[in-house]
Amino acid sequence: MEGLTLSDAEQKYYSDLFSYCDIESTKKVAANGRVLELFRAAQLPSDVVLQIMELCGATRLGYFGRSQFYIALKLVAVAQSGFPLRVESINTVKDLPLPRFVASKNEQESRHAASYSSDSENQGSYSGVIPPPPGRGQVKKGSVSHDTVQSRTSTDQQEPASPVVSPQQSPPTSPHTWRKHNRHPSGGNGERPLAGPGPFWSPFGDAQSGSAAGDAMWSGHSPPPPQENWVSFADTPPTSTLLTMHPASVQDQTTVRTVASATTANEIRRQSSSYDDPWKITDEQRQYYVNQFKTIQPDLNGFIPGSAAKEFFTKSKLPILELSHIWELSDFDKDGALTLDEFCAAFHLVVARKNGYDLPEKLPESLMPKLIDLEDSADVGDQTGEVGYSGSPAEAPPSKSPSMPSLNQTWPEMNQSSEQWETFSERSSSSQTLTQFDSNIAPADPDTAIVHPVPIRMTPSKIHMQEMELKRTGSDHTNPTSPLLVKTSDLSEENKINSSVKFASGNTVDGYSSSDSFTSDPEQIGNNVTRQRSHSGTSPDNTAPPPPPPRPQPSHSRSSSLDMNRTFTVTTGQQQAGVVAHPPAVPPRPQPSQAPGPTVHRPVDADGMITHTSTSPQQIPEQPNFADFSQFEVFAASNVNEEQDDEAEKHPEVLPVEKASDPASSLRVAKTDSKIEEKTAASAPANVGKGTTPLAPPPKPVRRRLKSEDELRPEVDEHTQKTGVLAGVLASQPSIPRSVGKDKKAIQASIRRNKETNTVLARLNSELQQQLKDVLEERISLEVQLEQLRPFSHL
Amino acid sequence: MAVCVAVIAKENYPLYIRSVPTENELKFHYMVHTSLDVVDEKISAMGKALVDQRELYLGLLYPTEDYKVYGYVTNSKVKFVMVVDSSNTALRDNEIRSMFRKLHNSYTDVMCNPFYNPGDRIQSRAFDSMVTSMMIQVC
C-alpha cells in the first residue's frame, strides 16, 4: 500500500466516515457492515466495490482498518469520478472529489464533506476537485490545488483515451468557471449552485475559439478570460456553444457532478432534487438570455414567435422531443409565443438539459414567468438560495440542506398548484369557449322560438266576450279592425308564431290567439280559430293573433256567430289591403246555414269564404256568378271557379295559389263533396265569419286524417271545402243586393260582414299556410332523419 | 373509465393511441379502427349542413357487449375516439363530453408547440399525463 496523501478536507471527511463506521469505537477498525453500507450508498456497481475492497487491502486483512478505510474511500472517489480503479490512482488521481454516498444517513457526511471541502477550499472546492489545466494555478486556493492541478493535468494527459471520456472533458470546464469565479466572485458565488451549467459557459467560449466538436480542444485550450467567455456567449451563436456543450451533456451526469466537486455535486444533487436552486437564473445568465432575446426580438416586451424560437432552440441540438417538452414547460400561457420570461425559462431549461439535468415535469417555480417577475413571492425559496449563494460556501450547504427539504416539498406543490390553477383558469375558459359555444348553438331550436311567444292567457272568454259586445255595440271599428288588420297582415306575412309573439304583447285577445297559435297542433289551431272567433267577438283586437287552428267543437257555432258579427263590424271599419285582398270574401250565408255543417265548411270556407266575401261586397252589383248560386250544388264548383277567377283578376295577389288549386279542388268537391258544398252554401251566407270559423277547425282535423296518407290531399280537400264554402258564401251574396230598398244598409252590413269574413278567412288562410309550412318542415326533418338513419341500416 | 384513448389524424392514421394495459390491447386498437367507419358516416350524414352547425361531439358511436365507443371530431377532421368500459354505468354523457373537451384542449396545446410537426405522433408528456389522468380517474 502506497502512502495515501489526503487533502485536509479529505482527511476530515474520511475520519468522519471512519468514525461513523466505527460503531464499536475502536478507533481502529471500521465495522464491516457499516462500511458495506457506505459502499452501497456510494452507488457503485458491486464489482467495483469488490475491487475497491480488494485494492484497499481489506479483503486481505479481513477488516477495515483506518488506512484501508481511507484507501477504500479514496478508491470510491476515484470510481465515482470515473477513473479506472488502480492502486496507484489513489495518489495519482489527485484532486478527486470527495466520495459521495447517496444514502440519506450519509447526507450528513456529505454535508460535512461539503463543509470541509468548502471550508478548506472555499471556491476552490470547484477547483480543488477539478484540476485546472496547467498554468491555471491561480485559480486554486485550496491546499490541494497545487498537487491536484498538476496531477490532474497529468491524468488528463494520461487518459486521453480513457474509456470514460467525461473526466477528460469535464475538468476543463471547471477551470473556466473557476477562473470566472475568481474574476467575478459575486457571480461565481451566485453560480455555485449552477456549477453544473456553469462550467458549460466556458465551452461556449471554447467553441468559439476552436472547433465545435473538438473535445480535446478543451483540455488544450487555455480558457479565454471569463469576460471573453461572457462575451463569447453573447456573440457566439448558440449553435456552436451548444454544440460543444452537447458532448459534455452526453456524458455521464454523475461524472459531471463529481468532477465539479463533492460539495457542489452534493449541493447540485440536492438542489436538482429541489426545484429551486438549480433552476434559479443568475444575473449573468439572465443578462445573457436577455441579449439572446434581443437578437431575435428587439422589443423586450414583445413575443418571440414559435417558429423563431424553434429555430433558435433547435440549434442547441437537443432532441426535438426534449425541446418540445421544454417548450411545453416554458410556454406558460400556451400562446405559441415566448415572452422574455418564458424565453429565459426555456433557455435556462435548455442549458440545464445540456448539462445533464433532467427536465422537470412541471416548470420550476423559479422559472415561472410570474414568479420571476414578482421576485417577492419567490423570496422564500430564493432567499435561502441566495443566502446559500451569497454566504460563504461553507454555510451554504448546511443552510440549504435543512431548508431545502421543506422548500422542496412546498414549492413543487405550489408550482403544481399554481400551474394547475392557472392552467385550469385558462383551460376552463378555453374549454368553455370551446364546447359551450357548440352547446349554445344547439338550444336554438325552433321549438323554443315557437313556444316563446308564450301562450298567454286563458282568461275567461266571457269577459272578453262582453268587451267585444260592448265594442261591437259601440261600433268601435278602429280598434278591432286595426288589430285584425294588423294581425291578418302579419299572418299573411309571417309565421303564426312571430305574429303571435307580437300580439302576445298586445291584447288579451292576442293572448288568446297567440296561445292558440302556439299550439302547432292543427286541431288546437282549429280550436284557436274558434276561440279566436269567440274572443274576437269579445275583444276588438282579436284579429291580431294568427288565426288559431280551428277546432271541431261545438263551440264553433257560438264563436262563429260571434265572429260573424265581429268580423263584419271589424271588417267594415278598416280593411287592409291584405285582409281584403286575401280572399275574396264570401258573403256569409243566411243563418240557416249556421248550424249545419260547421265542421265541414270550415276548411273550405277559410279560403274560399275569404276570397268570396272580400269580393262579394264589391261584386254585389255584378253578381252574375252569384246568380248561379241557386244551382249551387252543381255549379258551385264553376261558380267558385268563376268567382275565383274574378277575384283572381281583382285580387291577383290574393290566394293565387289557392285559386289555382281551388278550381281543381272545387271540381273534386263538386263531384265528391256535394253535401259539403250544400252545407257550406248554407252556412256561408249567413255567417261568413261564422262559416269561416267553422271552416277552420274541420279542415285541420280533416287534414290531419289525411296527413298521414298524403300531405297534399288534405290541402286539396281544404281547398275543395273552402271552395264549397265560397260557393255557399257566394250563393248567399246574391240574395243581399236584391233588396235594393234596403240596399244601403244591407250593403253596408254585408260589406261589413264580408270584410269580417275577409279578415277571418285571411287569417285562416295564413294559418293554413303556416300549417303547410310546418308540415313541409316536418317532412323535411323526417327525410333528414331518414337519411341519417340510413347509413346505420347498412350496419 | 376510459379504457382506450386514440387520436386519429385526418388521413385516418393514429396520432396517438393508448390503452389501459390489459392482456389484449390489440382489441382496443381494432375497435378504434372499426369505429373510424362510423365516424366517417356520421360526418358525411351531416355533410350538407355547414361545418359550423355540425357538433363536434359525435356521441356514442356503437356499443359492444363490454365497451362503448364514443367519438369526437374537430373542425380539422382530427378524430378522438374513446373506448369506455360499459360496466361503469355512472358515466354520463356530460362526463364524456368533458373528457373530450380536455382532450381537445390538450391537443391544441400540443399543436401550439412549434416543435411539433403536424402529422407526427404525439409524444407530449403533458398530453400523456392528461390522458393518464383520464384513464385513471374515471375508473
Short mmCIF file of all heavy atoms in Angstrom, two decimals, chain A residues 306-307 309-310 313-314 320-321 323-325 327-328 334 336 359 361 427 430-431 434-435 438 441 787 791-792 795, chain B residues 38 41-42 45 48 52-53 55-56 61 72 97 101 104-106 109-110 112-115 117 123-127:
data_model
loop_
_atom_site.label_atom_id
_atom_site.label_comp_id
_atom_site.label_asym_id
_atom_site.label_seq_id
_atom_site.Cartn_x
_atom_site.Cartn_y
_atom_site.Cartn_z
N GLY A 306 -43.31 31.32 -32.36
CA GLY A 306 -42.92 29.93 -32.16
C GLY A 306 -41.89 29.46 -33.15
O GLY A 306 -40.95 28.73 -32.81
N SER A 307 -42.06 29.89 -34.40
CA SER A 307 -41.12 29.40 -35.41
C SER A 307 -39.71 29.90 -35.14
O SER A 307 -38.74 29.14 -35.24
CB SER A 307 -41.59 29.85 -36.78
OG SER A 307 -41.87 31.24 -36.77
N ALA A 309 -38.48 30.78 -32.29
CA ALA A 309 -37.98 30.08 -31.11
C ALA A 309 -37.57 28.67 -31.47
O ALA A 309 -36.57 28.14 -30.96
CB ALA A 309 -39.06 30.06 -30.03
N LYS A 310 -38.33 28.08 -32.35
CA LYS A 310 -37.99 26.72 -32.74
C LYS A 310 -36.61 26.69 -33.38
O LYS A 310 -35.76 25.86 -33.05
CB LYS A 310 -39.04 26.18 -33.70
CG LYS A 310 -38.69 24.83 -34.27
CD LYS A 310 -39.76 24.31 -35.19
CE LYS A 310 -39.34 22.97 -35.74
NZ LYS A 310 -40.38 22.40 -36.60
N PHE A 313 -33.85 27.27 -30.71
CA PHE A 313 -33.56 26.18 -29.80
C PHE A 313 -33.16 24.91 -30.51
O PHE A 313 -32.56 24.02 -29.91
CB PHE A 313 -34.76 25.93 -28.89
CG PHE A 313 -34.94 27.00 -27.86
CD1 PHE A 313 -36.04 27.82 -27.90
CD2 PHE A 313 -33.98 27.19 -26.88
CE1 PHE A 313 -36.20 28.82 -26.96
CE2 PHE A 313 -34.13 28.18 -25.95
CZ PHE A 313 -35.25 29.01 -25.98
N THR A 314 -33.50 24.82 -31.76
CA THR A 314 -33.03 23.66 -32.49
C THR A 314 -31.52 23.67 -32.62
O THR A 314 -30.88 22.62 -32.73
CB THR A 314 -33.68 23.62 -33.88
OG1 THR A 314 -35.08 23.82 -33.75
CG2 THR A 314 -33.43 22.31 -34.57
N ILE A 320 -35.55 16.75 -30.51
CA ILE A 320 -36.79 17.51 -30.69
C ILE A 320 -37.78 17.18 -29.58
O ILE A 320 -38.51 18.06 -29.11
CB ILE A 320 -37.42 17.19 -32.06
CG1 ILE A 320 -36.51 17.66 -33.18
CG2 ILE A 320 -38.77 17.87 -32.20
CD1 ILE A 320 -36.46 19.14 -33.36
N LEU A 321 -37.78 15.98 -29.16
CA LEU A 321 -38.72 15.62 -28.11
C LEU A 321 -38.46 16.42 -26.85
O LEU A 321 -39.39 16.92 -26.21
CB LEU A 321 -38.60 14.12 -27.81
CG LEU A 321 -39.61 13.55 -26.82
CD1 LEU A 321 -41.00 13.77 -27.32
CD2 LEU A 321 -39.35 12.08 -26.60
N LEU A 323 -36.87 19.27 -26.71
CA LEU A 323 -37.19 20.66 -26.98
C LEU A 323 -38.69 20.87 -26.90
O LEU A 323 -39.17 21.89 -26.41
CB LEU A 323 -36.68 21.05 -28.37
CG LEU A 323 -35.17 21.18 -28.49
CD1 LEU A 323 -34.77 21.40 -29.92
CD2 LEU A 323 -34.69 22.33 -27.63
N SER A 324 -39.41 19.90 -27.38
CA SER A 324 -40.86 20.01 -27.30
C SER A 324 -41.31 20.07 -25.86
O SER A 324 -42.18 20.87 -25.49
CB SER A 324 -41.47 18.81 -28.03
OG SER A 324 -42.85 18.74 -27.80
N HIS A 325 -40.68 19.24 -25.05
CA HIS A 325 -41.07 19.27 -23.63
C HIS A 325 -40.67 20.58 -22.99
O HIS A 325 -41.42 21.14 -22.17
CB HIS A 325 -40.40 18.10 -22.92
CG HIS A 325 -40.86 17.96 -21.52
ND1 HIS A 325 -42.17 17.67 -21.19
CD2 HIS A 325 -40.21 18.10 -20.35
CE1 HIS A 325 -42.28 17.61 -19.89
NE2 HIS A 325 -41.12 17.87 -19.34
N TRP A 327 -40.50 23.35 -24.43
CA TRP A 327 -41.47 24.34 -24.84
C TRP A 327 -42.74 24.24 -24.03
O TRP A 327 -43.33 25.25 -23.61
CB TRP A 327 -41.78 24.17 -26.33
CG TRP A 327 -42.84 25.09 -26.79
CD1 TRP A 327 -44.18 24.92 -26.70
CD2 TRP A 327 -42.65 26.36 -27.38
NE1 TRP A 327 -44.85 26.00 -27.20
CE2 TRP A 327 -43.92 26.91 -27.63
CE3 TRP A 327 -41.51 27.11 -27.72
CZ2 TRP A 327 -44.09 28.15 -28.22
CZ3 TRP A 327 -41.70 28.34 -28.30
CH2 TRP A 327 -42.97 28.85 -28.55
N GLU A 328 -43.19 23.03 -23.84
CA GLU A 328 -44.41 22.85 -23.07
C GLU A 328 -44.26 23.45 -21.68
O GLU A 328 -45.20 24.03 -21.15
CB GLU A 328 -44.73 21.36 -22.94
CG GLU A 328 -45.47 20.79 -24.09
CD GLU A 328 -45.73 19.32 -23.91
OE1 GLU A 328 -45.46 18.79 -22.82
OE2 GLU A 328 -46.19 18.71 -24.87
N LYS A 334 -49.38 29.28 -23.07
CA LYS A 334 -49.82 28.44 -24.17
C LYS A 334 -50.30 29.26 -25.36
O LYS A 334 -51.35 29.00 -25.92
CB LYS A 334 -50.96 27.51 -23.72
CG LYS A 334 -50.63 26.70 -22.51
CD LYS A 334 -49.68 25.57 -22.85
CE LYS A 334 -49.33 24.74 -21.65
NZ LYS A 334 -48.08 24.10 -21.74
N GLY A 336 -48.17 29.93 -27.96
CA GLY A 336 -47.34 29.69 -29.12
C GLY A 336 -46.25 30.72 -29.32
O GLY A 336 -45.60 30.74 -30.36
N LEU A 359 -35.12 17.13 -17.27
CA LEU A 359 -36.16 18.14 -17.35
C LEU A 359 -37.23 17.83 -16.32
O LEU A 359 -37.65 16.68 -16.19
CB LEU A 359 -36.77 18.16 -18.74
CG LEU A 359 -35.84 18.67 -19.84
CD1 LEU A 359 -36.54 18.61 -21.17
CD2 LEU A 359 -35.38 20.07 -19.54
N GLU A 361 -40.91 17.75 -14.64
CA GLU A 361 -42.23 17.54 -15.22
C GLU A 361 -43.04 18.82 -15.22
O GLU A 361 -43.85 19.07 -16.10
CB GLU A 361 -42.98 16.46 -14.43
CG GLU A 361 -42.46 15.08 -14.67
CD GLU A 361 -42.53 14.71 -16.13
OE1 GLU A 361 -43.56 15.00 -16.78
OE2 GLU A 361 -41.55 14.15 -16.65
N ARG A 427 -57.64 26.86 -19.01
CA ARG A 427 -58.30 25.77 -19.69
C ARG A 427 -59.80 25.90 -19.58
O ARG A 427 -60.53 25.66 -20.51
CB ARG A 427 -57.86 24.45 -19.07
CG ARG A 427 -56.41 24.16 -19.25
CD ARG A 427 -56.09 23.90 -20.70
NE ARG A 427 -54.68 23.83 -20.94
CZ ARG A 427 -53.96 22.76 -20.72
NH1 ARG A 427 -54.52 21.66 -20.25
NH2 ARG A 427 -52.68 22.77 -20.94
N SER A 430 -61.02 28.37 -21.87
CA SER A 430 -60.94 27.95 -23.26
C SER A 430 -61.86 26.79 -23.51
O SER A 430 -62.50 26.70 -24.54
CB SER A 430 -59.51 27.58 -23.60
OG SER A 430 -59.11 26.48 -22.80
N SER A 431 -61.86 25.90 -22.54
CA SER A 431 -62.73 24.75 -22.76
C SER A 431 -64.17 25.20 -22.81
O SER A 431 -64.96 24.70 -23.58
CB SER A 431 -62.53 23.73 -21.66
OG SER A 431 -62.98 24.28 -20.43
N LEU A 434 -64.71 26.53 -25.93
CA LEU A 434 -64.71 25.51 -26.97
C LEU A 434 -66.08 24.87 -27.10
O LEU A 434 -66.72 24.94 -28.12
CB LEU A 434 -63.70 24.43 -26.60
CG LEU A 434 -62.47 24.37 -27.51
CD1 LEU A 434 -61.65 23.18 -27.16
CD2 LEU A 434 -62.90 24.30 -28.95
N THR A 435 -66.48 24.26 -26.06
CA THR A 435 -67.68 23.46 -26.23
C THR A 435 -68.94 24.22 -25.89
O THR A 435 -69.98 23.94 -26.43
CB THR A 435 -67.61 22.24 -25.34
OG1 THR A 435 -67.27 22.69 -24.03
CG2 THR A 435 -66.54 21.31 -25.83
N ASP A 438 -70.48 25.43 -28.80
CA ASP A 438 -71.28 24.47 -29.55
C ASP A 438 -72.61 24.23 -28.87
O ASP A 438 -73.65 24.17 -29.49
CB ASP A 438 -70.52 23.15 -29.65
CG ASP A 438 -69.30 23.31 -30.51
OD1 ASP A 438 -69.26 24.28 -31.29
OD2 ASP A 438 -68.39 22.50 -30.37
N ILE A 441 -75.14 26.65 -29.53
CA ILE A 441 -75.79 26.61 -30.83
C ILE A 441 -76.97 25.67 -30.76
O ILE A 441 -78.02 25.92 -31.33
CB ILE A 441 -74.80 26.13 -31.88
CG1 ILE A 441 -73.72 27.19 -32.08
CG2 ILE A 441 -75.51 25.87 -33.18
CD1 ILE A 441 -72.68 26.78 -33.06
N GLU A 787 -82.38 9.99 -43.72
CA GLU A 787 -81.04 9.94 -44.28
C GLU A 787 -80.02 9.60 -43.22
O GLU A 787 -79.07 8.88 -43.45
CB GLU A 787 -80.70 11.28 -44.93
CG GLU A 787 -81.42 11.51 -46.23
CD GLU A 787 -81.08 12.87 -46.81
OE1 GLU A 787 -80.10 13.48 -46.36
OE2 GLU A 787 -81.82 13.31 -47.70
N PRO A 791 -77.58 5.33 -43.07
CA PRO A 791 -76.26 4.68 -43.03
C PRO A 791 -76.24 3.53 -42.06
O PRO A 791 -75.53 2.58 -42.23
CB PRO A 791 -75.33 5.79 -42.57
CG PRO A 791 -76.09 7.04 -42.78
CD PRO A 791 -77.54 6.70 -42.85
N PHE A 792 -76.96 3.72 -40.98
CA PHE A 792 -76.88 2.67 -39.99
C PHE A 792 -77.66 1.45 -40.39
O PHE A 792 -77.47 0.38 -39.85
CB PHE A 792 -77.39 3.19 -38.65
CG PHE A 792 -76.46 4.25 -38.10
CD1 PHE A 792 -76.75 5.59 -38.29
CD2 PHE A 792 -75.29 3.91 -37.46
CE1 PHE A 792 -75.91 6.56 -37.81
CE2 PHE A 792 -74.45 4.88 -36.98
CZ PHE A 792 -74.76 6.21 -37.16
N LEU A 795 -75.40 -1.19 -41.36
CA LEU A 795 -74.51 -1.85 -40.38
C LEU A 795 -74.98 -3.23 -39.99
O LEU A 795 -76.20 -3.44 -39.95
CB LEU A 795 -74.41 -0.98 -39.12
CG LEU A 795 -73.57 0.29 -39.30
CD1 LEU A 795 -73.57 1.07 -38.01
CD2 LEU A 795 -72.16 -0.09 -39.71
N VAL B 38 -67.63 4.40 -38.60
CA VAL B 38 -68.84 5.02 -38.06
C VAL B 38 -68.67 6.53 -38.00
O VAL B 38 -69.60 7.30 -38.29
CB VAL B 38 -69.14 4.45 -36.65
CG1 VAL B 38 -70.43 5.00 -36.12
CG2 VAL B 38 -69.17 2.94 -36.71
N GLU B 41 -69.20 7.98 -41.30
CA GLU B 41 -70.60 8.03 -41.69
C GLU B 41 -71.30 9.19 -41.00
O GLU B 41 -72.10 9.89 -41.61
CB GLU B 41 -71.29 6.72 -41.32
CG GLU B 41 -70.91 5.58 -42.23
CD GLU B 41 -71.67 4.33 -41.88
OE1 GLU B 41 -72.85 4.46 -41.54
OE2 GLU B 41 -71.08 3.25 -41.94
N LYS B 42 -70.98 9.35 -39.76
CA LYS B 42 -71.64 10.45 -39.04
C LYS B 42 -71.27 11.78 -39.65
O LYS B 42 -72.09 12.69 -39.72
CB LYS B 42 -71.22 10.41 -37.58
CG LYS B 42 -71.80 9.26 -36.81
CD LYS B 42 -72.35 9.72 -35.48
CE LYS B 42 -72.93 8.54 -34.73
NZ LYS B 42 -73.89 8.94 -33.73
N ALA B 45 -73.05 12.19 -42.90
CA ALA B 45 -74.51 12.32 -42.78
C ALA B 45 -74.91 13.77 -42.63
O ALA B 45 -75.92 14.21 -43.16
CB ALA B 45 -75.00 11.51 -41.58
N LYS B 48 -74.30 17.94 -45.56
CA LYS B 48 -74.92 19.09 -46.20
C LYS B 48 -74.88 20.31 -45.28
O LYS B 48 -74.73 21.43 -45.71
CB LYS B 48 -76.37 18.75 -46.57
CG LYS B 48 -76.46 17.76 -47.70
CD LYS B 48 -77.90 17.46 -48.06
CE LYS B 48 -77.97 16.35 -49.09
NZ LYS B 48 -79.35 15.98 -49.37
N ASP B 52 -69.98 24.46 -39.35
CA ASP B 52 -70.22 25.15 -38.09
C ASP B 52 -71.39 24.54 -37.36
O ASP B 52 -71.40 24.45 -36.15
CB ASP B 52 -70.51 26.63 -38.35
CG ASP B 52 -69.27 27.34 -38.85
OD1 ASP B 52 -68.18 26.82 -38.58
OD2 ASP B 52 -69.41 28.38 -39.50
N GLN B 53 -72.35 24.15 -38.12
CA GLN B 53 -73.52 23.63 -37.44
C GLN B 53 -73.27 22.23 -36.92
O GLN B 53 -74.02 21.73 -36.10
CB GLN B 53 -74.70 23.61 -38.40
CG GLN B 53 -75.10 25.01 -38.84
CD GLN B 53 -76.15 24.96 -39.93
OE1 GLN B 53 -76.65 23.89 -40.24
NE2 GLN B 53 -76.44 26.09 -40.52
N GLU B 55 -71.97 19.48 -34.81
CA GLU B 55 -71.46 19.42 -33.46
C GLU B 55 -70.20 18.56 -33.42
O GLU B 55 -70.08 17.58 -34.13
CB GLU B 55 -72.53 18.81 -32.55
CG GLU B 55 -72.03 18.61 -31.14
CD GLU B 55 -73.08 18.95 -30.12
OE1 GLU B 55 -74.01 19.66 -30.48
OE2 GLU B 55 -72.94 18.48 -29.00
N LEU B 56 -69.28 18.99 -32.59
CA LEU B 56 -68.02 18.27 -32.56
C LEU B 56 -68.16 16.93 -31.87
O LEU B 56 -67.50 15.98 -32.23
CB LEU B 56 -66.96 19.11 -31.85
CG LEU B 56 -66.70 20.48 -32.48
CD1 LEU B 56 -65.63 21.20 -31.70
CD2 LEU B 56 -66.29 20.33 -33.92
N LEU B 61 -70.72 5.99 -30.61
CA LEU B 61 -70.60 5.52 -31.97
C LEU B 61 -71.25 4.16 -32.11
O LEU B 61 -72.08 3.94 -32.97
CB LEU B 61 -69.12 5.45 -32.36
CG LEU B 61 -68.40 6.80 -32.38
CD1 LEU B 61 -66.94 6.61 -32.72
CD2 LEU B 61 -69.05 7.74 -33.36
N TYR B 72 -65.53 11.96 -31.34
CA TYR B 72 -65.47 13.43 -31.32
C TYR B 72 -64.60 13.85 -32.49
O TYR B 72 -63.54 13.29 -32.71
CB TYR B 72 -64.85 13.86 -29.99
CG TYR B 72 -64.75 15.34 -29.75
CD1 TYR B 72 -65.71 15.99 -28.99
CD2 TYR B 72 -63.70 16.06 -30.25
CE1 TYR B 72 -65.60 17.35 -28.74
CE2 TYR B 72 -63.59 17.42 -30.01
CZ TYR B 72 -64.55 18.06 -29.25
OH TYR B 72 -64.44 19.39 -29.00
N ARG B 97 -68.39 14.22 -22.53
CA ARG B 97 -68.13 15.47 -23.23
C ARG B 97 -66.98 16.23 -22.59
O ARG B 97 -66.13 16.81 -23.27
CB ARG B 97 -69.38 16.36 -23.20
CG ARG B 97 -70.42 16.00 -24.21
CD ARG B 97 -71.63 16.93 -24.07
NE ARG B 97 -72.75 16.42 -24.80
CZ ARG B 97 -73.06 16.80 -26.03
NH1 ARG B 97 -72.33 17.70 -26.64
NH2 ARG B 97 -74.12 16.29 -26.64
N ARG B 101 -63.52 17.36 -24.16
CA ARG B 101 -63.10 18.75 -24.12
C ARG B 101 -61.65 18.85 -23.64
O ARG B 101 -60.85 19.59 -24.20
CB ARG B 101 -64.01 19.52 -23.17
CG ARG B 101 -64.08 21.00 -23.44
CD ARG B 101 -65.06 21.65 -22.49
NE ARG B 101 -66.35 21.01 -22.54
CZ ARG B 101 -67.13 20.81 -21.50
NH1 ARG B 101 -66.76 21.20 -20.32
NH2 ARG B 101 -68.29 20.22 -21.62
N HIS B 104 -59.38 17.77 -26.28
CA HIS B 104 -59.24 18.76 -27.33
C HIS B 104 -58.30 19.87 -26.89
O HIS B 104 -57.47 20.35 -27.65
CB HIS B 104 -60.61 19.34 -27.69
CG HIS B 104 -60.68 20.00 -29.02
ND1 HIS B 104 -61.84 20.32 -29.66
CD2 HIS B 104 -59.71 20.44 -29.85
CE1 HIS B 104 -61.59 20.91 -30.81
NE2 HIS B 104 -60.30 21.00 -30.96
N ASN B 105 -58.46 20.29 -25.65
CA ASN B 105 -57.58 21.34 -25.15
C ASN B 105 -56.13 20.90 -25.17
O ASN B 105 -55.25 21.64 -25.60
CB ASN B 105 -57.98 21.71 -23.72
CG ASN B 105 -59.22 22.57 -23.69
OD1 ASN B 105 -59.49 23.27 -24.64
ND2 ASN B 105 -59.96 22.51 -22.61
N SER B 106 -55.91 19.70 -24.68
CA SER B 106 -54.52 19.23 -24.67
C SER B 106 -54.01 19.08 -26.08
O SER B 106 -52.83 19.35 -26.36
CB SER B 106 -54.44 17.89 -23.95
OG SER B 106 -54.87 18.02 -22.63
N ASP B 109 -52.94 22.35 -27.30
CA ASP B 109 -51.65 22.73 -26.73
C ASP B 109 -50.51 22.03 -27.44
O ASP B 109 -49.45 22.63 -27.68
CB ASP B 109 -51.62 22.38 -25.23
CG ASP B 109 -52.53 23.28 -24.43
OD1 ASP B 109 -52.82 24.38 -24.93
OD2 ASP B 109 -52.94 22.88 -23.33
N VAL B 110 -50.71 20.79 -27.74
CA VAL B 110 -49.66 20.08 -28.48
C VAL B 110 -49.44 20.74 -29.83
O VAL B 110 -48.32 20.92 -30.29
CB VAL B 110 -50.04 18.60 -28.64
CG1 VAL B 110 -49.13 17.91 -29.63
CG2 VAL B 110 -49.99 17.91 -27.30
N CYS B 112 -49.86 23.76 -30.56
CA CYS B 112 -49.23 25.08 -30.45
C CYS B 112 -47.73 24.96 -30.30
O CYS B 112 -47.02 25.95 -30.48
CB CYS B 112 -49.79 25.81 -29.23
SG CYS B 112 -51.43 26.48 -29.52
N ASN B 113 -47.27 23.82 -29.94
CA ASN B 113 -45.84 23.65 -29.73
C ASN B 113 -45.14 23.70 -31.07
O ASN B 113 -45.40 22.88 -31.95
CB ASN B 113 -45.61 22.29 -29.06
CG ASN B 113 -44.20 22.16 -28.56
OD1 ASN B 113 -43.28 22.74 -29.12
ND2 ASN B 113 -44.03 21.37 -27.52
N PRO B 114 -44.24 24.68 -31.26
CA PRO B 114 -43.62 24.79 -32.58
C PRO B 114 -42.74 23.60 -32.92
O PRO B 114 -42.43 23.38 -34.08
CB PRO B 114 -42.78 26.07 -32.46
CG PRO B 114 -42.56 26.26 -31.02
CD PRO B 114 -43.75 25.69 -30.33
N PHE B 115 -42.38 22.86 -31.93
CA PHE B 115 -41.53 21.70 -32.21
C PHE B 115 -42.33 20.49 -32.63
O PHE B 115 -41.76 19.44 -32.91
CB PHE B 115 -40.71 21.34 -30.96
CG PHE B 115 -39.77 22.44 -30.57
CD1 PHE B 115 -40.07 23.28 -29.53
CD2 PHE B 115 -38.60 22.65 -31.26
CE1 PHE B 115 -39.23 24.30 -29.16
CE2 PHE B 115 -37.73 23.66 -30.90
CZ PHE B 115 -38.05 24.49 -29.85
N ASN B 117 -44.47 18.72 -35.27
CA ASN B 117 -44.85 18.78 -36.68
C ASN B 117 -46.19 18.09 -36.85
O ASN B 117 -46.33 16.91 -36.49
CB ASN B 117 -43.80 18.07 -37.54
CG ASN B 117 -42.45 18.71 -37.38
OD1 ASN B 117 -42.33 19.93 -37.38
ND2 ASN B 117 -41.42 17.88 -37.22
N GLN B 123 -46.08 13.00 -28.76
CA GLN B 123 -45.22 12.47 -27.71
C GLN B 123 -45.12 13.43 -26.55
O GLN B 123 -44.19 13.37 -25.77
CB GLN B 123 -43.81 12.21 -28.28
CG GLN B 123 -43.80 11.01 -29.18
CD GLN B 123 -42.61 11.01 -30.11
OE1 GLN B 123 -42.28 12.02 -30.70
NE2 GLN B 123 -41.97 9.88 -30.23
N SER B 124 -46.09 14.29 -26.47
CA SER B 124 -46.01 15.29 -25.42
C SER B 124 -46.27 14.67 -24.06
O SER B 124 -47.22 13.90 -23.88
CB SER B 124 -47.04 16.37 -25.71
OG SER B 124 -47.48 16.95 -24.53
N ARG B 125 -45.46 15.03 -23.13
CA ARG B 125 -45.65 14.45 -21.81
C ARG B 125 -46.91 15.02 -21.15
O ARG B 125 -47.58 14.33 -20.39
CB ARG B 125 -44.45 14.77 -20.91
CG ARG B 125 -43.23 14.04 -21.33
CD ARG B 125 -42.13 14.22 -20.31
NE ARG B 125 -40.86 14.43 -20.94
CZ ARG B 125 -39.76 14.76 -20.29
NH1 ARG B 125 -39.80 14.96 -19.00
NH2 ARG B 125 -38.63 14.94 -20.94
N ALA B 126 -47.14 16.28 -21.42
CA ALA B 126 -48.35 16.85 -20.81
C ALA B 126 -49.59 16.14 -21.32
O ALA B 126 -50.54 15.86 -20.57
CB ALA B 126 -48.43 18.35 -21.14
N PHE B 127 -49.58 15.85 -22.60
CA PHE B 127 -50.71 15.14 -23.17
C PHE B 127 -50.83 13.76 -22.55
O PHE B 127 -51.92 13.31 -22.19
CB PHE B 127 -50.51 15.04 -24.69
CG PHE B 127 -51.72 14.60 -25.44
CD1 PHE B 127 -52.69 15.52 -25.78
CD2 PHE B 127 -51.88 13.28 -25.82
CE1 PHE B 127 -53.81 15.12 -26.49
CE2 PHE B 127 -53.00 12.88 -26.52
CZ PHE B 127 -53.97 13.79 -26.86
#
